[in-house]
C-alpha cells in the first residue's frame, strides 16, 4: 500500500516567485495537514483540510494558501516567496477517526529560496 | 503560548547502549503526547501516542513515559542499533484540536559502532 506522496522532491525558487507543492494522501484518508520545518527546528502547523474544507490554520501569513480536491489530494501555494520560506514542507494524512488521530507523514518537499 | 521543550539537543551513544530523551511541555488543555522518529530529509514516523490516562507505552525497543501532572515525558531507547540514528521529536496535541500538533525541536541521536 502506497504511503503519503509529495511532489516535487526538491525545488529552487527565487524571491518574489510563487510555488505550488502537491500531496497525495494514503488511500482512504480524507484529511491532509501541511507543516513547515525549518532546518534544525520541529515542524510548524500550517493548514489542515478535511473533506475539501479548511479545518484549521496555523500562524502563517496570507501568502500561504491551500486547497483539497475531490480525490483528497492537496496543494499548498506560497506567493511572493521570501528567503525565510526555505524549508522542508511536510504533508500528513489522517483518517480522522477516534481521537487521537494518527498522522502519517510524507517524505516532504525541500524548498530553497534564493 | 504552547511550548514543547526537548533535551538534550543531541547525544552520541555506542551501539548496544541505552539512552533516555526528555520532553517538557506547557500545552494546555492536554489531549495526547506523541513521539516521532525522523530520519534526515524524511518525514516523521510515529513511535508512540499516549493519552492523559496512559503513563507508559512501548514499541519494540522504544518505551515512552508520561507524567501529565508534571507535564513531562521521556523516551527510552534500549540496546541501541545503528539504525536508531535519527532525530526524535516530542509532539503534543491540545484539547479537541487534535489536528493542531505542537512539535519540539527534536533530539538528534547518533549511534556509533
Amino acid at each position: 500500500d502506497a504511503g503519503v506522496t509529495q511532489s516535487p522532491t526538491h525545488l529552487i525558487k527565487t524571491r518574489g516567485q510563487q510555488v505550488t507543492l502537491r500531496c497525495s494522501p494514503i488511500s482512504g484518508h480524507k484529511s491532509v495537514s501541511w507543516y513547515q520545518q525549518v532546518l534544525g527546528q520541529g515542524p510548524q502547523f500550517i493548514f489542515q483540510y478535511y473533506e475539501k474544507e479548511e479545518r484549521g490554520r496555523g500562524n502563517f501569513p496570507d501568502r500561504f494558501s491551500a486547497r483539497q480536491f475531490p480525490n483528497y489530494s492537496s496543494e499548498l501555494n506560497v506567493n511572493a516567496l521570501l528567503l525565510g520560506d526555505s524549508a522542508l514542507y511536510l504533508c500528513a494524512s489522517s483518517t480522522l477517526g477516534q481521537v487521537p488521530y494518527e498522522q502519517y507523514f510524507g517524505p516532504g518537499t525541500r524548498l530553497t529560496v534564493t | 503560548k504552547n511550548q514543547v521543550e526537548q533535551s538534550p539537543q543531541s547525544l552520541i551513544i555506542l551501539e548496544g547502549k541505552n539512552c533516555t530523551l526528555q520532553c517538557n511541555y506547557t500545552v494546555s488543555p492536554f489531549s495526547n503526547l506523541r513521539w516521532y522518529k525522523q530520519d534526515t530529509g524524511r518525514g516523521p514516523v510515529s513511535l508512540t501516542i499516549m493519552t492523559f490516562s496512559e503513563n507508559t507505552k512501548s514499541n519494540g525497543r522504544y518505551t515512552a513515559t508520561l507524567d501529565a501532572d508534571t507535564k513531562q515525558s521521556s523516551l527510552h531507547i534500549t540496546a541501541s542499533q545503528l539504525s536508531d540514528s535519527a532525530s526524535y521529536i516530542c509532539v503534543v496535541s491540545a484539547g479537541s484540536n487534535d489536528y493542531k500538533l505542537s512539535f519540539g525541536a527534536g533530539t538528534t541521536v547518533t549511534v556509533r559502532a
Side-chain angles (χ1 to χ4, degrees):
Chain A
D1 224 5
V4 177
T5 59
Q6 293 187 243
S7 64
T9 305
H10 296 88
L11 203 53
I12 300 175
K13 291 283 188 179
T14 57
R15 280 176 294 177
Q17 285 189 315
Q18 175 265 342
V19 68
T20 298
L21 312 180
R22 296 176 176 82
C23 171
S24 292
I26 293 172
S27 178
H29 287 193
K30 298 181 179 180
S31 174
V32 169
S33 299
W34 287 95
Y35 297 85
Q36 180 196 64
Q37 186 174 23
V38 173
L39 194 63
Q41 299 181 19
Q44 297 289 318
F45 172 74
I46 310 176
F47 287 111
Q48 195 205 41
Y49 276 78
Y50 177 68
E51 290 278 16
K52 296 167 287 180
E53 298 290 328
E54 182 184 303
R55 287 190 75 227
R57 170 188 287 255
N59 188 23
F60 279 81
D62 292 342
R63 299 185 296 108
F64 289 77
S65 63
R67 56 179 175 169
Q68 188 176 32
F69 299 99
N71 66 354
Y72 304 112
S73 66
S74 177
E75 287 183 350
L76 175 70
N77 295 286
V78 187
N79 294 323
L81 285 167
L82 304 174
L83 294 178
D85 294 332
S86 295
L88 180 68
Y89 287 85
L90 296 165
C91 171
S93 77
S94 174
T95 59
L96 286 194
Q98 183 178 358
V99 174
Y101 312 131
E102 180 64 87
Q103 294 201 24
Y104 299 86
F105 286 83
T109 293
R110 171 70 63 187
L111 172 65
T112 301
V113 182
T114 60
Chain B
K1 180 182 178 181
N2 291 330
Q3 285 192 328
V4 180
E5 302 290 338
Q6 292 187 242
S7 63
Q9 185 175 12
S10 63
L11 65 92
I12 300 172
I13 58 174
L14 293 176
E15 188 178 15
K17 299 298 185 182
N18 305 334
C19 67
T20 300
L21 316 180
Q22 302 292 340
C23 174
N24 296 330
Y25 63 92
T26 59
V27 176
S28 182
F30 175 83
S31 175
N32 57 79
L33 185 144
R34 311 155 185 241
W35 283 94
Y36 284 87
K37 177 185 179 186
Q38 185 175 25
D39 293 315
T40 302
R42 306 294 299 272
V45 175
S46 179
L47 295 175
T48 64
I49 301 177
M50 289 182 291
T51 60
F52 182 88
S53 59
E54 298 173 296
N55 55 26
T56 186
K57 191 165 245 184
S58 292
N59 178 358
R61 295 180 296 101
Y62 301 102
T63 299
T65 64
L66 172 65
D67 186 334
D69 291 332
T70 61
K71 298 187 176 181
Q72 295 180 327
S73 176
S74 66
L75 180 69
H76 186 75
I77 304 175
T78 303
S80 60
Q81 300 177 359
L82 297 178
S83 60
D84 292 331
S85 295
S87 178
Y88 292 84
I89 306 175
C90 176
V91 184
V92 182
S93 173
S96 60
N97 295 331
D98 196 54
Y99 59 84
K100 198 169 183 178
L101 305 179
S102 296
F103 289 73
T107 292
T108 301
V109 174
T110 303
V111 181
R112 291 189 174 161

